[in-house]
PDB file of all heavy atoms in Angstrom:
ATOM      1  N   LEU A  61     -93.870-129.146 -31.121  1.00 86.00           N
ATOM      2  CA  LEU A  61     -95.073-129.987 -31.441  1.00 86.00           C
ATOM      3  C   LEU A  61     -94.966-130.724 -32.637  1.00 86.00           C
ATOM      4  O   LEU A  61     -95.251-132.040 -32.725  1.00 86.00           O
ATOM      5  CB  LEU A  61     -96.410-129.130 -31.241  1.00 86.00           C
ATOM      6  CG  LEU A  61     -97.730-129.875 -31.570  1.00 86.00           C
ATOM      7  CD1 LEU A  61     -98.055-130.895 -30.476  1.00 86.00           C
ATOM      8  CD2 LEU A  61     -98.766-128.841 -31.855  1.00 86.00           C
ATOM      9  N   ARG A  62     -94.641-130.092 -33.778  1.00 88.00           N
ATOM     10  CA  ARG A  62     -94.533-130.769 -35.011  1.00 88.00           C
ATOM     11  C   ARG A  62     -93.523-131.854 -35.045  1.00 88.00           C
ATOM     12  O   ARG A  62     -93.683-132.907 -35.607  1.00 88.00           O
ATOM     13  CB  ARG A  62     -94.189-129.680 -36.196  1.00 88.00           C
ATOM     14  CG  ARG A  62     -95.433-128.791 -36.323  1.00 88.00           C
ATOM     15  CD  ARG A  62     -95.251-127.699 -37.310  1.00 88.00           C
ATOM     16  NE  ARG A  62     -96.312-126.842 -37.460  1.00 88.00           N
ATOM     17  CZ  ARG A  62     -96.139-125.602 -37.768  1.00 88.00           C
ATOM     18  NH1 ARG A  62     -94.945-125.058 -38.040  1.00 88.00           N
ATOM     19  NH2 ARG A  62     -97.238-124.753 -37.869  1.00 88.00           N
ATOM     20  N   LEU A  63     -92.318-131.615 -34.332  1.00 85.00           N
ATOM     21  CA  LEU A  63     -91.401-132.595 -34.289  1.00 85.00           C
ATOM     22  C   LEU A  63     -91.924-133.870 -33.477  1.00 85.00           C
ATOM     23  O   LEU A  63     -91.564-135.055 -33.882  1.00 85.00           O
ATOM     24  CB  LEU A  63     -90.065-132.165 -33.499  1.00 85.00           C
ATOM     25  CG  LEU A  63     -89.071-131.442 -34.446  1.00 85.00           C
ATOM     26  CD1 LEU A  63     -87.961-130.915 -33.498  1.00 85.00           C
ATOM     27  CD2 LEU A  63     -88.534-132.215 -35.472  1.00 85.00           C
ATOM     28  N   GLY A  64     -92.699-133.682 -32.421  1.00 85.00           N
ATOM     29  CA  GLY A  64     -93.248-134.706 -31.692  1.00 85.00           C
ATOM     30  C   GLY A  64     -94.194-135.550 -32.553  1.00 85.00           C
ATOM     31  O   GLY A  64     -94.311-136.791 -32.237  1.00 85.00           O
ATOM     32  N   ILE A  65     -94.866-134.962 -33.412  1.00 89.00           N
ATOM     33  CA  ILE A  65     -95.779-135.707 -34.288  1.00 89.00           C
ATOM     34  C   ILE A  65     -95.110-136.495 -35.353  1.00 89.00           C
ATOM     35  O   ILE A  65     -95.479-137.536 -35.790  1.00 89.00           O
ATOM     36  CB  ILE A  65     -96.864-134.707 -34.878  1.00 89.00           C
ATOM     37  CG1 ILE A  65     -97.718-134.117 -33.805  1.00 89.00           C
ATOM     38  CG2 ILE A  65     -97.738-135.315 -35.923  1.00 89.00           C
ATOM     39  CD1 ILE A  65     -98.589-132.960 -34.162  1.00 89.00           C
ATOM     40  N   ARG A  66     -94.047-135.846 -35.940  1.00 88.00           N
ATOM     41  CA  ARG A  66     -93.436-136.443 -37.160  1.00 88.00           C
ATOM     42  C   ARG A  66     -92.328-137.334 -36.913  1.00 88.00           C
ATOM     43  O   ARG A  66     -92.008-138.235 -37.741  1.00 88.00           O
ATOM     44  CB  ARG A  66     -92.980-135.300 -38.145  1.00 88.00           C
ATOM     45  CG  ARG A  66     -94.045-134.407 -38.626  1.00 88.00           C
ATOM     46  CD  ARG A  66     -93.591-133.310 -39.543  1.00 88.00           C
ATOM     47  NE  ARG A  66     -94.722-132.440 -39.991  1.00 88.00           N
ATOM     48  CZ  ARG A  66     -94.589-131.478 -40.608  1.00 88.00           C
ATOM     49  NH1 ARG A  66     -93.269-131.108 -41.138  1.00 88.00           N
ATOM     50  NH2 ARG A  66     -95.652-130.604 -40.986  1.00 88.00           N
ATOM     51  N   LEU A  67     -91.486-137.226 -35.808  1.00 86.00           N
ATOM     52  CA  LEU A  67     -90.450-137.978 -35.609  1.00 86.00           C
ATOM     53  C   LEU A  67     -90.803-139.318 -35.138  1.00 86.00           C
ATOM     54  O   LEU A  67     -91.722-139.560 -34.443  1.00 86.00           O
ATOM     55  CB  LEU A  67     -89.418-137.428 -34.574  1.00 86.00           C
ATOM     56  CG  LEU A  67     -88.587-136.208 -35.018  1.00 86.00           C
ATOM     57  CD1 LEU A  67     -87.787-135.667 -33.838  1.00 86.00           C
ATOM     58  CD2 LEU A  67     -87.642-136.565 -36.132  1.00 86.00           C
ATOM     59  N   PRO A  68     -89.968-140.397 -35.478  1.00 90.00           N
ATOM     60  CA  PRO A  68     -90.281-141.746 -34.888  1.00 90.00           C
ATOM     61  C   PRO A  68     -89.940-141.665 -33.350  1.00 90.00           C
ATOM     62  O   PRO A  68     -89.271-140.728 -32.861  1.00 90.00           O
ATOM     63  CB  PRO A  68     -89.235-142.632 -35.593  1.00 90.00           C
ATOM     64  CG  PRO A  68     -88.604-141.854 -36.640  1.00 90.00           C
ATOM     65  CD  PRO A  68     -88.940-140.345 -36.473  1.00 90.00           C
ATOM     66  N   LEU A  69     -90.552-142.602 -32.651  1.00 90.00           N
ATOM     67  CA  LEU A  69     -90.372-142.583 -31.180  1.00 90.00           C
ATOM     68  C   LEU A  69     -88.999-142.455 -30.680  1.00 90.00           C
ATOM     69  O   LEU A  69     -88.666-141.655 -29.811  1.00 90.00           O
ATOM     70  CB  LEU A  69     -91.172-143.676 -30.591  1.00 90.00           C
ATOM     71  CG  LEU A  69     -91.201-143.807 -28.983  1.00 90.00           C
ATOM     72  CD1 LEU A  69     -91.883-142.527 -28.468  1.00 90.00           C
ATOM     73  CD2 LEU A  69     -91.738-145.040 -28.560  1.00 90.00           C
ATOM     74  N   ASN A  70     -88.104-143.346 -31.267  1.00 90.00           N
ATOM     75  CA  ASN A  70     -86.772-143.340 -30.701  1.00 90.00           C
ATOM     76  C   ASN A  70     -85.981-141.950 -31.030  1.00 90.00           C
ATOM     77  O   ASN A  70     -85.308-141.563 -30.064  1.00 90.00           O
ATOM     78  CB  ASN A  70     -85.918-144.506 -31.293  1.00 90.00           C
ATOM     79  CG  ASN A  70     -85.831-144.440 -32.780  1.00 90.00           C
ATOM     80  OD1 ASN A  70     -86.597-143.695 -33.514  1.00 90.00           O
ATOM     81  ND2 ASN A  70     -84.879-145.116 -33.434  1.00 90.00           N
ATOM     82  N   ARG A  71     -86.229-141.323 -32.036  1.00 86.00           N
ATOM     83  CA  ARG A  71     -85.577-140.080 -32.333  1.00 86.00           C
ATOM     84  C   ARG A  71     -86.182-138.982 -31.552  1.00 86.00           C
ATOM     85  O   ARG A  71     -85.457-138.065 -31.141  1.00 86.00           O
ATOM     86  CB  ARG A  71     -85.711-139.668 -33.762  1.00 86.00           C
ATOM     87  CG  ARG A  71     -84.727-140.631 -34.679  1.00 86.00           C
ATOM     88  CD  ARG A  71     -84.608-140.115 -36.083  1.00 86.00           C
ATOM     89  NE  ARG A  71     -83.892-138.902 -36.075  1.00 86.00           N
ATOM     90  CZ  ARG A  71     -83.892-138.022 -37.083  1.00 86.00           C
ATOM     91  NH1 ARG A  71     -84.532-138.375 -38.214  1.00 86.00           N
ATOM     92  NH2 ARG A  71     -83.250-136.943 -37.088  1.00 86.00           N
ATOM     93  N   PHE A  72     -87.509-139.028 -31.323  1.00 85.00           N
ATOM     94  CA  PHE A  72     -88.087-138.034 -30.498  1.00 85.00           C
ATOM     95  C   PHE A  72     -87.681-138.131 -29.047  1.00 85.00           C
ATOM     96  O   PHE A  72     -87.380-137.157 -28.307  1.00 85.00           O
ATOM     97  CB  PHE A  72     -89.665-138.090 -30.600  1.00 85.00           C
ATOM     98  CG  PHE A  72     -90.285-137.014 -29.679  1.00 85.00           C
ATOM     99  CD1 PHE A  72     -90.214-135.692 -30.060  1.00 85.00           C
ATOM    100  CD2 PHE A  72     -90.991-137.293 -28.523  1.00 85.00           C
ATOM    101  CE1 PHE A  72     -90.762-134.739 -29.251  1.00 85.00           C
ATOM    102  CE2 PHE A  72     -91.542-136.354 -27.747  1.00 85.00           C
ATOM    103  CZ  PHE A  72     -91.438-135.121 -28.091  1.00 85.00           C
ATOM    104  N   LEU A  73     -87.558-139.350 -28.444  1.00 88.00           N
ATOM    105  CA  LEU A  73     -87.140-139.431 -27.147  1.00 88.00           C
ATOM    106  C   LEU A  73     -85.732-139.020 -26.937  1.00 88.00           C
ATOM    107  O   LEU A  73     -85.443-138.389 -25.983  1.00 88.00           O
ATOM    108  CB  LEU A  73     -87.350-140.970 -26.723  1.00 88.00           C
ATOM    109  CG  LEU A  73     -88.745-141.349 -26.493  1.00 88.00           C
ATOM    110  CD1 LEU A  73     -88.798-142.817 -26.140  1.00 88.00           C
ATOM    111  CD2 LEU A  73     -89.414-140.469 -25.439  1.00 88.00           C
TER     112      LEU A  73
END
Side-chain angles (χ1 to χ4, degrees):
L61 174 68
R62 290 176 183 150
L63 276 178
I65 293 170
R66 294 182 186 178
L67 285 178
L69 182 63
N70 61 342
R71 289 194 65 199
F72 179 71
L73 287 177

